[in-house]
Amino acid sequence: MIHDKKAHKYGMVIDLDKCTGCGTCAVSCMSENNVPFKEDESDKKDSITWMRVYRLTNNKPFPDTEVAFLPRPCQHCGGKGDHGHSPCVSVCPATATDYGYDTGIVSQIYTRCFGCRYCMAACPYHARYFNWWDPVWPEGMEKYLSPNVSPRMRGVVEKCSFCYHRYQLAREKAYASGSDEIPEADYQTACTTACPAGAIVFGDLNNPSHKVHQIVKPDPHPDPLNPDVVGKSRNPKVFRLLERLGTNPKVYYMSEREWVRKLGDHYLDGEWDKVKNVYGSASHE
Amino acid sequence: MKVDRRSFLGLGIGAVAGIAISPVGAKLTDDFSIWTQNWPWTPVPPDGEVSYDRTVCHLCPGACGISVRKIDGRPVKIEGLDPYPVNNGGVCLHGIAGLQYLYDPSRVKSPMKKVNNRFVPISWDEALTMVADRLGELRNDQKPDTLACITGSDQGSVPGLFKHFMAAFGSPNYLTMPDLESWLVRTAKTLHGDAYTLGFDIDHSDFILSFGAGLIDGWGSPVACIQTMGNRRQRQATLVQIEPRLSNTAASANQWIPINPGTEADLAMGMCAVLLKENLFDPVFAQGFKGGFMRFTAMVQKEYPLDKVAGVTGISAADIQKTAVAFAKAKMPVALPGKGRGEGAQNLKEFAAVHTLNCLSGNVNKQGGTFVKPLPKYLNFPDPVQDAVALKGAAAAPLAGSVQELVTRIDKSGESPVKALLVYNANPCFALNDPSRIRAAFEKIPFKVCVTSFMDETAMVSDVILPVSTFLERMEDVPSKAGLAATVVGLSKPMIKPVFNTRSPGDVVIGMARALGGDMAKNFAWDSYDACLEQVTARIWGPLVRKGHVVLSENLPAGSVETDFEFLAQNPETVKPAGDLEFTLIPIDYFRVPPTVPAPSPFAIKTVSDRILKGTDMFVEINPQSAKNLKDGGFATLTTPAGSVPVRVHFNDGIMPGVIGMVKGLGHTLDNKYVSGKGVNINALISPKIEPDSGMDAAFGIKAGISKA
Ligand code: SF4
Ligand code: SF4
Ligand code: SF4
């Protein structure tokens, strides 16, 4: 395996207080990655949306109701202890999905996938999608397809790749210029650059000069209470989805609102009060 | 046995697990993937040299700069242009989906004429000759004023050409669809006089009092507004959002104040009363007050006392008082009118009352406030040369002040006073209230020409369709509009050769005039639209071409502004939702669905929530407290005085009890299976109500009933 000189750990922070739920990230993703569409897209169970925006509410009655939006790409899980055994990677019989140790990106190789959908069952974030049909574009529309991302066929699973082709381009550019550093601005995902609210920040979590690192302030040590959890944020406003599972997502979320942060996991009665705002409190006690 | 993917899966889980640990697994899985992946047609997008080209999006009034990524000249992706003075790198989902519009199934691929209720393709020559013959008859009959024209907006050189055409032809019946900008111009005209518009420096304001303006739901220049809202918290600017439903804007505000639908004008008047009573208005700015200030003061004190306003709006007197005082005491307050996107049915009383708050605060033509700025004047069309026929026709009284009024005129007369109609970049048969009435009125017009890119609802009722290139296929000036502090004129350029047999709309107007010959042709002596554009924008053409845009009003508007209170001093009537049913049905401006032109792209439809659309079923929002025997997700019948439709119910705690919300912009019937036949067009449930003072449809909502289906 070719390693970059330095192992990157690409990740994302999404500010849920800035996110407007406009859906631009989702469409930017679709158009960047040749994601198809069908006549009826209202059945969300078979609608392919690498980036999907969920609506959250605090469930309080009028007029105390609040809503927030949560964009959800693939979380690019590092797996237990952040060793690269992401839930989806470890179950794939065809090695069609793989963990990039040099990037932290979980890849999907379509030509290897034979559609057993174990990964879909294993992914706690519903981030993977199965192609039940060969995509069909209205006549002529295939002309806008990008050569950087292969269109997927019936019978395979697909998901967000953190726009891996953009990483490749940035890496080539860096090599060509004789540098082994990829500047932060050179590798940005399509959703990040599109978001009109500036809610998404993307970069190398391992690189202290990158914004993601500065916002997340990832803890280099495993959580003392749950050694499976690594890279927990030391920013009390930042959380990950289902963090206590130990999937170690590289997508972090941020909110001032406690009810929003609380929705990041399923807490039993009384549990939240023990863990909220307590750094290093990802594990059950 | 033929092994396909299905029978492979039929082997069962055990078999798969066995394969996974067996040494032949790697080979077998490889084979399986080959067997299971048989695609009859595999698109292999051709690779090539990458380039970027810049242009301007005109899918909405936003006027964002965009960058188009191309592979060997073939556009593959649209992104925001950075830097660009409107949107600084940002973009919205509709702009990004722009490439889908190029190949949209409902695109009109060549000129068409209607024969026995079916459209048949014809040549451009035939189409233009046909139009010229029919329009020529009107001039021969000395009745040029029986030609009417409806465009989507009246700014920029293409609407300019249509206006020029109407003037040269001899008809005063040029109308535009209501959009936020047109409301702001009307408001400025009412309070400050002709030739002004309003801009809002939301970017620098520290207190934004929004009367339902959907700042992140598509109001004004959508991306610019979203960006402003994105940095609002860092700036510690307060947003108070007043509207009946917890829109996304309300959800992100510091405070959401629910208000009875349609009572915003009363609230603003009540707040004016507070400011006047507590002497919280700006004495310096007050020197520019003229016409009716004293009467206005006396009237609001008398007619809009706190208790009464509280009763009407459903907001407590204490909250009204507190909010009004906080607004007046803020350093840089701004009050924003225009519910939702601010398009469609609104009312002048409300716009004027809200803007009066700005005038009283004194924060006019100051940073972080409201700009009363002259209308952008960068176009210089030559004066039309009018022959005797044209002079007579142009001097006739206009038939109506708005499209809805025109429709009413046609409706009421046995024979249509309009003999021919030109429609450009507008879809009144979908976008205005009571579209079936509009269609019926249009049916009475003997000859209709639709200049459009898509076979939309209005194109379908026309006689001739002149297909125009989309914004990615043509050159055009794109002035920013609606509410921005500065006016930016962008130049859009063709990113790709026209995909179909279409022309730029400017060339279509020139072509019609030439086909008419005589003085009409003389008025349009340009070789092409591009030459015309260069001539009419001469003042800024150089920088426009060099930089791709020009900022027209970089500085604060200069000079003092006079404010005339006459209109409000008469206490015009507030237009109330029609009917006496239990609920009030209000339209929801949902950012992911454009409500007017063009229809949503397949990508945009894909992002529509399944709590809005499920299959072809449309959901309406209702507060569970007022839902009685309805079930969340269940079927119901929604009835208004205008009609009755089946819907499904979505319980939403974020909507006031007694209010039903329905997303606007769905229910298209155009020829595009990805977009059409989905949901209901809310406009079909609302009958227009003309506001006497503005002549505009002010029916924002309507009374409604809902019962279990
Ligand atoms: S583009 Fe940005 S604001 Fe819009 S939904 Fe995505 S993250 Fe939220
Ligand atoms: S989110 Fe799902 S698909 Fe993505 S890495 Fe994690 S388990 Fe795999
Ligand atoms: S906001 Fe309007 S102008 Fe800007 S990208 Fe979106 S559709 Fe285009």
Side-chain angles (χ1 to χ4, degrees):
Chain A
M1 186 185 298
I2 309 159
H3 278 279
D4 273 0
K5 214 160 117 203
K6 204 167 64 185
H8 303 295
K9 198 169 146 189
Y10 283 104
M12 195 175 262
V13 189
I14 308 182
D15 186 340
L16 303 185
D17 298 334
K18 280 192 178 170
C19 174
T20 66
C22 68
T24 302
C25 50
V27 171
S28 184
C29 170
M30 292 176 210
S31 106
E32 177 80 21
N33 292 296
N34 296 338
V35 175
F37 52 89
K38 303 191 314 285
E39 234 171 275
D40 178 14
E41 283 285 353
S42 70
D43 184 353
K44 299 300 177 193
K45 286 197 293 294
D46 71 3
S47 172
I48 298 179
T49 42
W50 291 9
M51 179 63 141
R52 181 162 174 199
V53 183
Y54 290 87
R55 181 174 181 268
L56 313 176
T57 111
N58 65 350
N59 269 326
K60 289 208 181 143
F62 176 87
D64 300 316
T65 323
E66 291 183 31
V67 297
F69 294 90
L70 184 139
R72 190 255 33 221
C74 165
Q75 308 284 303
H76 294 274
C77 307
K80 289 221 188 305
D82 216 10
H83 297 309
H85 304 293
S86 326
C88 54
V89 169
S90 34
V91 297
C92 179
T95 339
T97 186
D98 196 21
Y99 188 85
Y101 286 92
D102 48 345
T103 56
I105 294 174
V106 175
S107 64
Q108 177 74 2
I109 301 158
Y110 306 118
T111 45
R112 274 194 204 157
C113 171
F114 53 71
C116 69
R117 288 169 281 149
Y118 280 14
C119 56
M120 289 178 71
C123 171
Y125 305 104
H126 298 283
R128 291 181 161 259
Y129 296 88
F130 184 64
N131 275 277
W132 289 96
W133 296 276
D134 285 329
V136 183
W137 285 271
E139 199 192 326
M141 213 184 261
E142 74 284 348
K143 290 204 191 79
Y144 75 41
L145 295 178
S146 158
N148 296 342
V149 184
S150 48
R152 282 76 56 187
M153 59 298 272
R154 165 175 49 134
V156 307
V157 168
E158 61 182 73
K159 69 162 193 77
C160 150
S161 67
F162 270 176
C163 292
Y164 192 76
H165 58 286
R166 290 186 171 211
Y167 170 70
Q168 290 171 316
L169 289 172
R171 194 182 50 187
E172 276 163 27
K173 189 174 156 197
Y175 281 158
S177 67
S179 148
D180 50 21
E181 277 267 346
I182 296 175
E184 188 175 5
D186 280 11
Y187 173 34
Q188 291 291 321
T189 63
C191 55
T192 310
T193 53
C195 173
I200 310 179
V201 177
F202 182 80
D204 185 357
L205 289 159
N206 275 350
N207 188 334
S209 73
H210 282 202
K211 268 198 261 98
V212 276
H213 179 96
Q214 290 157 5
I215 299 171
V216 171
K217 302 187 187 77
D219 186 347
H221 309 292
D223 183 343
L225 299 172
N226 182 351
D228 289 339
V229 174
V230 179
K232 195 174 156 58
S233 173
R234 284 179 287 182
N235 178 343
K237 281 185 261 167
V238 172
F239 65 102
R240 290 185 282 184
L241 298 180
L242 307 177
E243 191 166 50
R244 297 178 299 172
L245 275 182
T247 50
N248 288 310
K250 275 184 274 297
V251 177
Y252 292 77
Y253 294 93
M254 174 155 79
S255 179
E256 303 262 359
R257 291 170 283 186
E258 189 180 317
W259 70 266
V260 172
R261 299 200 296 271
K262 191 176 168 190
L263 282 175
D265 212 328
H266 301 293
Y267 292 99
L268 301 174
D269 278 350
E271 248 180 1
W272 171 250
D273 289 324
K274 291 188 207 141
V275 302
K276 70 172 179 187
N277 297 344
V278 183
Y279 158 64
S281 58
S283 52
H284 293 271
E285 280 156 64
Chain B
M1 183 181 102
K2 187 172 163 277
V3 182
D4 60 11
R5 189 180 48 76
R6 249 215 229 119
S7 49
F8 164 70
L9 289 174
L11 294 176
I13 287 165
V16 179
I19 290 162
I21 51 166
S22 123
V24 290
K27 171 73 181 107
L28 267 181
T29 54
D30 191 36
D31 291 348
F32 275 131
S33 64
I34 291 165
W35 290 332
T36 54
Q37 296 173 7
N38 36 33
W39 202 358
W41 162 80
T42 312
V44 183
D47 210 343
E49 198 189 327
V50 183
S51 61
Y52 292 85
D53 205 350
R54 50 175 294 167
T55 186
V56 181
C57 175
H58 29 134
L59 285 169
C60 88
C64 296
I66 52 174
S67 160
V68 179
R69 192 198 315 152
K70 297 176 177 177
I71 305 285
D72 272 349
R74 173 174 66 91
V76 297
K77 177 82 197 276
I78 293 179
E79 295 176 328
L81 185 66
D82 191 15
Y84 192 79
V86 173
N87 56 313
N88 303 306
V91 64
C92 85
L93 72 160
H94 306 299
I96 293 178
L99 295 176
Q100 294 201 316
Y101 288 115
L102 280 174
Y103 312 103
D104 190 287
S106 58
R107 277 209 65 182
V108 187
K109 300 186 175 71
S110 82
M112 304 269 218
K113 71 172 175 195
K114 201 182 247 168
V115 183
N116 299 329
N117 246 339
R118 286 193 44 213
F119 283 106
V120 292
I122 51 175
S123 70
W124 271 103
D125 273 347
E126 184 182 349
L128 290 174
T129 311
M130 214 178 131
V131 173
D133 286 351
R134 294 294 295 263
L135 299 191
E137 282 169 26
L138 302 184
R139 281 172 58 83
N140 290 342
D141 294 351
Q142 313 275 321
K143 290 226 159 51
D145 52 319
T146 58
L147 171 69
C149 175
I150 301 170
T151 63
S153 124
D154 74 346
Q155 284 175 51
S157 67
V158 172
L161 274 171
F162 276 96
K163 276 187 267 186
H164 194 63
F165 184 91
M166 293 299 280
F169 193 83
S171 170
N173 293 307
Y174 172 84
L175 295 164
T176 57
M177 298 285 280
D179 64 356
L180 178 58
E181 180 65 23
S182 66
W183 283 104
L184 294 175
V185 172
R186 257 194 186 78
T187 309
K189 183 175 175 178
T190 308
L191 278 94
H192 307 294
D194 261 332
Y196 284 109
T197 184
L198 302 180
F200 304 97
D201 192 12
I202 316 168
D203 245 337
H204 297 105
S205 168
D206 65 345
F207 192 100
I208 305 152
L209 182 63
S210 155
F211 288 77
L215 290 164
I216 59 176
D217 298 282
W219 188 89
S221 183
V223 170
C225 285
I226 290 177
Q227 285 174 335
T228 302
M229 290 297 111
N231 63 38
R232 183 175 61 80
R233 271 169 211 275
Q234 277 109 298
R235 289 191 291 120
Q236 301 194 322
T238 304
L239 169 65
V240 176
Q241 184 74 8
I242 305 160
E243 59 178 314
R245 175 180 171 271
L246 186 72
S247 66
N248 294 357
T249 308
S252 79
N254 299 69
Q255 195 192 355
W256 167 43
I257 304 182
I259 180 168
N260 290 333
T263 63
E264 290 82 356
D266 301 82
L267 176 65
M269 296 285 245
M271 288 186 169
C272 288
V274 172
L275 300 195
L276 290 165
K277 188 162 155 223
E278 313 246 327
N279 233 339
L280 282 171
F281 61 95
D282 183 67
V284 180
F285 191 71
Q287 288 161 9
F289 289 176
K290 59 166 202 179
F293 179 61
M294 298 314 276
R295 272 186 297 122
F296 172 72
T297 308
M299 186 278 294
V300 284
Q301 308 284 18
K302 180 160 162 276
E303 301 293 337
Y304 296 90
L306 270 183
D307 288 351
K308 188 172 159 197
V309 175
V312 172
T313 59
I315 304 170
S316 75
D319 269 352
I320 299 173
Q321 167 90 19
K322 207 177 79 201
T323 312
V325 170
F327 173 79
K329 293 205 164 150
K331 271 224 301 283
M332 292 177 279
V334 64
L336 302 179
K339 302 181 283 278
R341 289 181 188 256
E343 295 174 351
Q346 301 278 347
N347 70 80
L348 183 60
K349 176 181 177 183
E350 183 176 322
F351 268 71
V354 171
H355 180 54
T356 301
L357 282 169
N358 288 320
C359 297
L360 293 178
S361 81
N363 202 27
V364 171
N365 289 355
K366 289 185 195 150
Q367 206 192 35
T370 308
F371 296 170
V372 178
K373 48 182 192 176
L375 281 172
K377 272 212 191 71
Y378 67 94
L379 293 173
N380 286 308
F381 274 96
D383 287 335
V385 179
Q386 292 171 310
D387 54 21
V389 180
L391 279 172
K392 189 165 151 263
L399 283 168
S402 70
V403 180
Q404 283 286 15
E405 235 181 14
L406 183 72
V407 166
T408 310
R409 277 296 287 267
I410 299 173
D411 226 8
K412 287 205 180 124
S413 17
E415 196 183 315
S416 168
V418 177
K419 299 291 179 238
L421 176 69
L422 279 174
V423 181
Y424 164 63
N425 198 29
N427 188 5
C429 293
F430 177 85
L432 296 179
N433 283 336
D434 204 352
S436 62
R437 178 170 155 272
I438 295 171
R439 272 197 305 273
F442 280 13
E443 295 290 357
K444 286 169 91 175
I445 302 174
F447 186 62
K448 290 140 297 198
V449 182
C450 199
V451 184
T452 179
S453 298
F454 306 99
M455 187 60 101
D456 59 27
E457 288 80 0
T458 304
M460 278 188 282
V461 300
S462 52
D463 301 288
V464 177
I465 304 175
L466 304 177
V468 291
S469 308
T470 63
F471 74 102
L472 292 168
E473 302 163 303
R474 69 186 201 228
M475 175 135 94
E476 197 169 319
D477 55 321
V478 189
S480 69
K481 293 188 282 183
L484 278 185
T487 302
V488 180
V489 182
L491 182 68
S492 85
K493 290 175 304 182
M495 295 290 107
I496 181 174
K497 279 216 272 323
V499 174
F500 301 113
N501 184 14
T502 58
R503 292 185 182 175
S504 105
D507 282 320
V508 171
V509 183
I510 295 173
M512 289 192 303
R514 277 217 198 119
L516 274 159
D519 280 339
M520 284 305 284
K522 272 187 228 141
N523 272 303
F524 289 80
W526 297 285
D527 283 343
S528 66
Y529 166 69
D530 291 359
C532 162
L533 180 64
E534 184 176 342
Q535 192 202 328
V536 297
T537 58
R539 205 157 61 73
I540 58 165
W541 177 251
L544 197 56
V545 171
R546 247 191 341 272
K547 288 203 316 216
H549 71 267
V550 171
V551 182
L552 287 187
S553 51
E554 213 139 12
N555 305 319
L556 292 178
S560 58
V561 192
E562 293 197 318
T563 311
D564 188 336
F565 291 86
E566 280 303 342
F567 168 64
L568 285 178
Q570 295 154 16
N571 192 20
E573 200 193 327
T574 305
V575 176
K576 293 200 184 65
D580 50 10
L581 292 158
E582 184 188 355
F583 291 90
T584 308
L585 173 70
I586 57 164
I588 298 171
D589 275 334
Y590 176 57
F591 193 56
R592 303 183 194 179
V593 177
T596 49
V597 176
S601 61
F603 275 161
I605 284 288
K606 188 163 166 160
T607 65
V608 173
S609 153
D610 56 356
R611 301 316 309 268
I612 291 173
L613 202 59
K614 187 94 196 184
T616 56
D617 297 339
M618 180 95 192
F619 283 78
V620 291
E621 290 182 7
I622 189 165
N623 192 301
Q625 289 172 37
S626 53
K628 289 182 208 139
N629 63 349
L630 299 173
K631 273 217 309 274
D632 190 26
F635 288 90
T637 305
L638 176 68
T639 306
T640 72
S644 183
V645 289
V647 290
R648 290 176 72 173
V649 174
H650 166 38
F651 282 0
N652 178 6
D653 283 298
I655 189 163
M656 275 176 97
V659 179
I660 298 172
M662 187 190 245
V663 164
K664 192 172 178 167
L666 291 167
H668 273 287
T669 54
L670 44 76
D671 183 21
N672 178 344
K673 59 189 178 186
Y674 301 94
V675 174
S676 279
K678 297 173 193 299
V680 171
N681 181 0
I682 182 176
N683 300 334
L685 294 167
I686 304 180
S687 359
K689 243 187 153 182
I690 303 287
E691 185 185 33
D693 303 285
S694 63
M696 301 285 285
D697 177 13
F700 185 73
I702 194 162
K703 289 292 183 182
I706 188 163
S707 59
K708 216 163 137 183

